[in-house]
């Protein structure tokens, strides 16, 4: 560590001279690696131990050489060392310096901003920071507000604020820097970076959910690949690896005395109708480059693979020339076909369930692409149904799956590491998941390198490559052969899928995910994960779900209030109570000056209805306003009158005094009535008691439909039996 008196050492001495960056910052390094030092213009951080998998290797090289001015390279290095070592004697005396150490993962982002700032000043003709004026800052703001690759696309205010903040932060470290701003100067004065960039931190999560037209084919295709294709691919992958390893270990060559054996095997395969193996595209290209005739019938024949598999001997072009007549006869009789996935088992196609081979014959490149596509399907299915972050998915290793048998069923776990918000490298954590996710990870585990501790999703931090590969495979000939629906263009990443799942759970029982998967199971798994580890990453996801649920319930309550204002009243036994609550809101708004509707008006209505929204529970065909457990019919039937939540699975909304029906529920009741009429009342074999019960069910459903129609017309109703 640098001595406290280093600042007053000899001329030209700097407190960070020759400092070991990682050692000074308290990071461990892997044995035998070379550690970066302060004076180097490139800091190679790849030697650091316990680096999170989600930290790309390209981000671990901090390159200052892109800064044109050599003096400002030193300024950049010094500033970053000051950020890394806030307790260093030369830094802690600076009154405006940051007191929290800068994370290693953000170093390169800071260098990008410093490079943009310093090179902008260089282009403006400045050679010293003392020459800077506010006009240079204003032109810089204009420059960083447009995209570098697409100038027509503006940069988000949050990104611009980051560039501004870095330029401003240099002023706080002026006494430490080799060159600094004029005394008293700070870019953009007293204005904050957010004010300069026009950035406002949002109060709610603004990550958009994945659009339904993309989510539907993505989840359907991923589920099909994991559950239907995955088991077959695992077997073929194991066979391919065994054969490839066997070929790679062969060192002996075919001799003339072996030729009769080769000829006999060729004749056997001709008699059995077995096609000859096809060479890889790269091998065919090399043959053409070396002078092969493009019309040669054996150009695409993988003759070396054939002899290796048959006799465990390698063959040469000379062997091929000697055996050419027999080889040509084989090709003429049976043709040439890719080696992998021949005679594939039949599976039902995704669109119409007609039988089809699970795969077309393919070479090893196509097989590798299929493996990557199926593991990517497992990756996205896991992200979509668990809410795990990309950094947590990246940390999954072989052996991460656990299964715990309980009296009421099995509970499935994934062991990972929590990266976000934790110390460098993260901390161990576990995630409770549903069986579909557990199976998806098992398939990915079987398709990847099976050595214990190896990553299941290597390179998972670059999820865009995975998504592109998965979409291209589904939209390509292999996916279309299996009847998979094409996935349209559009961005998909784990963060968006996490948001989609949170909203789906909060807004259940309706929606795509609720139709495909029982979201109650996902919710229970999330809650159990929170209970097991209250401070874990699943707790953060549950908090996000609860926030989204509050927003959704408020939205639905406000929507019901607006319907009431327009004359569309609720129906059901709980309608009078809900209308009374809405009338109280009307009375609270009487003193409000009428005028054009504004955002403030909407916020006031939301505030008045917030208490009512907290009592809302959403059913498949009704709303439950759970204000009094003693009045909840479901709790009475279950014998749990003191419960804090209703039992929506036991809801009899036609008779419960806290249930209401709204226009959006009409179709569910109409469908129920029609199904009862067609399936039960239309069955001549139905017994008299069963027919009577079916008739009562049909009439009750129709009365609810009629009551909803009456309420829509503006006539208040209190019963819908």
């Amino acid at each position: 560590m640098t001595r406290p008196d280093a600042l007053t050492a000899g001329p030209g001495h700097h407190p960070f001279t020759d400092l070991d960056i990682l050692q000074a910052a308290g990071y461990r390094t892997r044995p035998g690696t070379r550690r970066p030092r302060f004076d180097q213009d490139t800091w190679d951080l790849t030697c650091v131990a316990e680096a999170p998998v989600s930290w790309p290797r390209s981000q671990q090289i901090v390159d200052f050489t892109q800064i044109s001015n050599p003096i400002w390279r030193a300024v950049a290095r010094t500033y970053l060392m000051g950020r890394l070592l806030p307790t260093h004697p030369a830094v802690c005396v600076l009154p405006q310096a940051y007191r929290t150490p800068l994370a290693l993962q953000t170093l390169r982002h800071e260098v990008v901003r410093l490079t943009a700032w310093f090179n902008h000043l260089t282009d403006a003709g400045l050679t010293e920071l003392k020459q800077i004026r506010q006009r240079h800052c204003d032109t810089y703001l204009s420059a960083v507000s447009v995209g570098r690759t697409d100038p027509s696309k503006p940069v988000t205010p949050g990104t611009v604020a980051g560039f501004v903040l870095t330029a401003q932060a240099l002023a706080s470290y002026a006494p430490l820097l080799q060159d600094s701003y004029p005394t008293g100067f700070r870019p953009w004065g007293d204005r904050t970076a957010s004010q300069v960039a026009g950035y406002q931190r949002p109060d709610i999560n603004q990550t958009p959910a994945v659009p339904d037209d993309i989510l539907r084919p993505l989840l359907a295709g991923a589920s099909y690949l994991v559950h239907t294709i995955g088991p077959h691919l695992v077997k073929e992958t194991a066979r391919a690896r065994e054969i490839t390893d066997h070929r790679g270990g062969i060192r002996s060559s075919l001799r003339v005395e072996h030729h009769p054996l080769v000829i006999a095997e060729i004749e056997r395969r001709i008699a059995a109708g077995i096609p000859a193996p096809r060479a890889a595209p790269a091998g065919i290209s090399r043959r053409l480059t070396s002078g092969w005739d493009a019309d040669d019938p054996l150009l695409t024949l993988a003759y070396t693979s054939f002899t290796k598999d048959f006799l465990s001997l390698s063959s040469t072009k000379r062997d091929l020339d000697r055996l050419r007549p027999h080889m040509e006869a084989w090709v003429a009789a049976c043709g040439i076909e890719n080696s992998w996935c021949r005679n594939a088992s039949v599976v039902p196609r995704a669109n119409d369930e007609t039988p089809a081979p699970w795969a077309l014959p393919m070479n090893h490149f196509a097989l590798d692409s299929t493996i990557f596509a199926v593991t990517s399907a497992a990756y996205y299915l896991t992200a979509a149904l668990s809410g795990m972050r990309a950094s947590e998915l990246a940390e999954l290793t072989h052996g991460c799956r656990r299964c715990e048998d309980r009296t009421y069923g099995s509970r499935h776990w994934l062991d990972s590491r929590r990266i976000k918000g934790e110390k460098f490298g993260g901390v161990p954590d576990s995630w409770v998941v549903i069986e579909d996710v557990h199976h998806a990870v098992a398939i990915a585990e079987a398709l990847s390198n099976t050595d214990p501790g190896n990553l299941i999703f290597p390179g998972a931090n670059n999820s865009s490559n995975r998504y592109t590969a998965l979409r291209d495979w589904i939209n390509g000939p292999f996916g279309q052969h299996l009847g998979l629906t094409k996935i349209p263009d559009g961005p998909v990443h784990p963060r968006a899928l996490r948001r989609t799942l949170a909203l789906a759970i909060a807004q259940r029982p309706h929606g795509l995910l609720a139709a495909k998967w029982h979201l109650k199971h996902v919710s229970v798994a999330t809650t159990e994960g929170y209970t097991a580890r209250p401070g874990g990453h699943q707790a953060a996801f549950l908090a996000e779900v609860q926030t989204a649920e509050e927003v959704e319930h408020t939205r639905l309550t406000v929507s019901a209030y607006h319907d009431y204002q327009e004359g569309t009243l609720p129906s059901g036994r709980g309608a009078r109570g809900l209308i009374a609550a809405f009338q109280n809101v009307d009375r609270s708004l009487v003193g409000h000056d009428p005028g054009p509707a504004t955002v403030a008006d909407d916020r006031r209505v939301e505030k008045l209805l917030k208490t009512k929204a907290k009592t809302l529970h959403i059913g498949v065909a009704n709303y439950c306003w759970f204000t009094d457990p003693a009045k909840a019919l479901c709790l009475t039937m279950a014998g749990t009158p003191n419960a804090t939540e209703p039992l929506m699975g036991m809801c009899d909304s036609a008779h419960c005094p806290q249930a209401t029906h709204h226009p959006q529920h009409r179709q569910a009741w109409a469908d129920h009535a029609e199904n009862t009429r067609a399936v039960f009342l239309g069955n001549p074999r139905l017994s008299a008691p069963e027919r009577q019960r079916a008739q009562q069910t049909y009439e009750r459903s129709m009365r609810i439909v009629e009551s909803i129609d009456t309420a829509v017309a503006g006539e208040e109703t209190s019963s819908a039996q």
Side-chain angles (χ1 to χ4, degrees):
M1 182 64 69
T2 306
R3 299 193 316 275
D5 61 344
L7 277 174
T8 59
H13 188 85
H14 193 275
F16 300 142
T17 298
D18 201 36
L19 189 66
D20 184 321
I21 298 167
L22 296 176
Q23 183 182 39
Y27 291 97
R28 296 192 308 106
T29 55
R30 289 180 284 106
T33 56
R34 193 173 178 182
R35 301 195 295 267
R37 309 195 80 83
F38 167 76
D39 303 278
Q40 296 171 342
D41 275 341
T42 300
W43 293 353
D44 186 348
L45 306 178
T46 57
C47 62
V48 69
E50 300 175 348
V53 177
S54 54
W55 186 23
R57 187 177 180 84
S58 60
Q59 299 287 330
Q60 298 175 31
I61 305 296
V62 183
D63 185 8
F64 298 94
T65 62
Q66 298 301 311
I67 300 176
S68 302
N69 189 325
I71 296 178
W72 291 344
R73 290 179 200 167
V75 169
R77 295 198 309 271
T78 302
Y79 163 72
L80 290 182
M81 281 306 305
R83 294 292 307 274
L84 283 172
L85 306 175
T87 59
H88 188 280
V91 181
C92 63
V93 296
L94 303 178
Q96 301 299 322
Y98 288 92
R99 300 309 177 197
T100 302
L102 187 69
L104 282 187
Q105 297 95 313
T106 60
L107 272 179
R108 192 170 183 276
H109 299 296
E110 281 292 306
V111 171
V112 169
R113 296 171 185 143
L114 290 167
T115 301
W117 173 233
F118 287 142
N119 287 350
H120 172 78
L121 299 180
T122 298
D123 294 341
L126 276 64
T127 57
E128 295 181 331
L129 293 180
K130 293 180 176 59
Q131 300 169 339
I132 192 173
R133 299 294 181 267
Q134 184 56 44
R135 66 176 183 273
H136 301 118
C137 305
D138 295 335
T139 55
Y140 176 66
L141 181 64
S142 300
V144 297
S145 297
V146 298
R148 287 179 293 178
T149 56
D150 184 3
S152 64
K153 185 177 181 180
V155 178
T156 62
T159 301
V160 175
F163 281 92
V164 172
L165 184 61
T166 298
Q168 291 180 326
L170 291 171
S172 301
Y173 292 82
L176 195 63
L177 304 178
Q178 294 85 341
D179 185 17
S180 60
Y181 300 142
T183 302
F185 179 82
R186 180 177 183 268
W188 295 280
D190 294 332
R191 297 171 65 194
T192 66
S194 296
Q195 291 172 338
V196 173
Y199 171 68
Q200 289 185 337
R201 185 180 295 275
D203 296 330
I204 59 175
N205 190 332
Q206 293 189 324
T207 301
V210 179
D212 186 72
D213 62 333
I214 296 177
L215 184 65
R216 186 178 298 274
L218 170 63
L219 291 183
S223 180
Y224 182 86
L225 288 179
V226 166
H227 292 94
T228 304
I229 305 303
H232 297 284
L233 183 61
V234 168
K235 295 179 181 178
E236 187 68 10
T237 301
R239 187 179 76 87
R241 286 174 178 161
E242 183 180 351
I243 292 175
T244 301
D245 292 343
H246 170 72
R247 290 174 181 174
I250 293 174
R251 297 294 179 265
S252 301
S253 299
L254 194 69
R255 296 193 297 272
V256 175
E257 56 265 30
H258 296 129
H259 287 184
L261 297 175
V262 176
I263 294 171
E265 178 63 16
I266 290 174
E267 291 175 348
R268 187 191 69 80
R269 297 197 179 194
I270 292 176
I274 301 175
R278 184 182 298 276
I284 297 172
S285 298
R286 285 194 296 270
R287 290 177 183 179
L288 290 172
T289 302
S290 64
W292 278 57
D293 186 348
D295 296 326
D296 191 327
L298 304 184
L299 174 66
T300 60
L301 175 66
Y303 56 88
T304 298
S305 297
F306 164 61
T307 58
K308 283 184 175 181
D309 294 343
F310 169 49
L311 291 172
S312 298
L313 296 172
S314 179
S315 56
T316 64
K317 180 66 162 54
R318 180 181 301 174
D319 296 313
L320 178 65
D321 292 337
R322 291 173 178 171
L323 296 168
R324 176 173 286 273
H326 304 281
M327 294 284 191
E328 289 183 351
W330 183 17
V331 171
C334 303
I336 297 179
E337 191 177 74
N338 287 317
S339 300
W340 308 119
C341 302
R342 289 184 180 181
N343 304 316
S345 302
V346 172
V347 297
R349 298 177 81 242
N351 55 349
D352 54 15
E353 296 191 352
T354 57
W358 72 267
L360 301 172
M362 58 183 72
N363 57 40
H364 72 273
F365 292 108
L367 181 62
D368 288 343
S369 297
T370 302
I371 293 171
F372 190 65
V374 175
T375 55
S376 298
Y379 176 85
Y380 277 98
L381 199 63
T382 302
L385 296 180
S386 71
M388 295 180 74
R389 294 188 176 96
S391 59
E392 295 153 358
L393 290 168
E395 297 289 339
L396 291 175
T397 58
H398 283 266
C400 68
R401 295 180 300 114
R402 288 187 288 124
C403 187
E404 181 181 328
D405 292 328
R406 299 185 178 181
T407 55
Y408 55 83
S410 299
R411 179 59 60 226
H412 305 284
W413 298 77
L414 294 179
D415 294 331
S416 179
R417 296 184 69 81
R418 188 169 71 251
I419 303 299
K420 185 175 181 179
E422 300 296 339
K423 64 180 182 180
F424 184 79
V427 296
D429 207 344
S430 298
W431 198 287
V432 181
V433 296
I434 61 175
E435 188 175 2
D436 280 37
V437 172
H438 200 260
H439 176 71
V441 174
I443 291 295
E445 193 174 9
L447 291 174
S448 58
N449 191 327
T450 56
D451 293 337
N454 280 357
L455 298 174
I456 294 178
F457 299 114
N461 52 299
N462 192 355
S463 59
S464 61
N465 287 348
R466 285 193 173 276
Y467 178 65
T468 300
L470 175 59
R471 186 185 61 193
D472 290 349
W473 197 96
I474 289 176
N475 294 353
F478 294 114
Q480 295 310 293
H481 161 75
L482 294 169
L484 297 173
T485 302
K486 289 188 175 182
I487 303 175
D489 291 340
V492 175
H493 48 81
R495 188 171 64 255
L497 289 172
R498 175 186 172 93
R499 182 60 176 163
T500 303
L501 180 62
L503 292 175
I505 296 176
Q507 298 170 7
R508 68 177 190 272
H510 306 289
L512 169 64
L513 277 169
K516 183 68 178 176
W517 283 275
H518 196 336
L519 287 183
K520 184 64 176 178
H521 294 170
V522 182
S523 181
V524 168
T526 299
T527 304
E528 289 199 6
Y530 161 74
T531 304
R533 293 176 179 268
H537 51 187
Q538 208 151 11
F541 178 68
L542 181 61
E544 185 177 335
V545 169
Q546 291 172 339
T547 300
E549 191 172 49
E550 291 175 5
V551 172
E552 174 67 5
H553 287 188
T554 300
R555 184 189 70 81
L556 293 174
T557 305
V558 172
S559 177
Y561 172 72
H562 288 324
D563 287 343
Y564 150 81
Q565 286 184 311
E566 295 172 1
T568 301
L569 303 178
S571 62
R573 289 186 177 272
R576 287 191 184 277
L578 183 61
I579 292 172
F582 290 162
Q583 290 171 343
N584 287 334
V585 173
D586 286 341
R587 286 191 287 271
S588 298
L589 294 173
V590 166
H592 181 62
D593 184 23
T598 65
V599 173
D601 295 331
D602 293 338
R603 294 291 179 266
R604 190 169 183 220
V605 170
E606 288 181 5
K607 185 176 180 180
L608 291 170
L609 289 171
K610 197 167 186 180
T611 301
K612 191 64 179 177
K614 290 181 179 179
T615 68
L616 174 60
H617 295 264
I618 305 171
V620 175
N622 71 286
Y623 290 160
C624 172
W625 307 91
F626 188 74
T627 55
D628 187 353
K631 295 180 180 179
L633 185 59
C634 60
L635 300 186
T636 301
M637 292 188 296
T640 56
N642 297 320
T644 58
E645 290 187 356
L647 301 172
M648 296 304 293
M650 297 181 61
C651 182
D652 183 1
S653 62
H655 298 96
C656 183
Q658 299 186 124
T660 59
H661 302 122
H662 299 257
Q664 58 267 36
H665 301 133
R666 184 188 188 282
Q667 191 61 46
W669 286 108
D671 291 344
H672 182 56
E674 177 58 26
N675 290 337
T676 302
R677 185 193 64 79
V679 176
F680 295 99
L681 296 179
N683 184 358
R685 298 182 178 180
L686 208 64
S687 66
E690 291 173 333
R691 180 174 296 277
Q692 183 179 4
R693 284 194 295 270
Q695 183 66 35
Q696 291 172 350
T697 300
Y698 172 77
E699 292 174 356
R700 183 187 64 174
S701 299
M702 289 306 301
R703 282 198 299 271
I704 292 176
V705 170
E706 291 168 2
S707 70
I708 292 174
D709 292 339
T710 301
V712 168
E715 301 177 20
E716 184 177 336
T717 62
S718 62
S719 62
Q721 298 87 302

